[in-house]
Amino acid sequence: MALKIINSLLILIAVFMGLKQGYAMFSGKPEMIEMFGKWGFNKTGLVINGLITIIAALLILFPKTFVWGNFMMAAGILLIICFHLLDKDVKGVYVELPFLLINLVIIYLQHPFKSGFLL
């Protein structure tokens, strides 16, 4: 039971962060334009990436799409990590790593409502 509560909290954190960062990309926040711009993303690419991030965050909430949402979110984070590595920005990698690990941990723990409501 405690593990389901912890996993539920991790899922809420992942969804919140996905929605927050996805919206920042989708709406073209200056810091997102600057970061992704140095990697060759234009405004349209940033909007699409933001939309995919928002969709991935929402998919995590539902047991049937849980793995797909986590996979999409982890792939997006891994893409950002790879770009940081290309720039030799180890600090940027360390910032993104916990978010990748959250997605991997909640995939391992599975959706808390997969087998019924808190059973």
Side-chain angles (χ1 to χ4, degrees), residues 1 24 28 42 51 61 82 85 88 97 99:
M1 180 67 161
N42 61 16
L51 189 60
L61 293 172
C82 289
L85 288 172
K88 297 188 180 4
L97 211 50
F99 301 109

Side-chain angles (χ1 to χ4, degrees), residues 22-42:
Y23 181 75
M25 288 183 262
F26 184 78
S27 64
K29 298 273 184 189
E31 58 272 7
M32 290 295 173
I33 292 173
E34 179 185 340
M35 183 172 82
F36 282 90
K38 69 182 177 184
W39 298 326
F41 280 73
N42 61 16

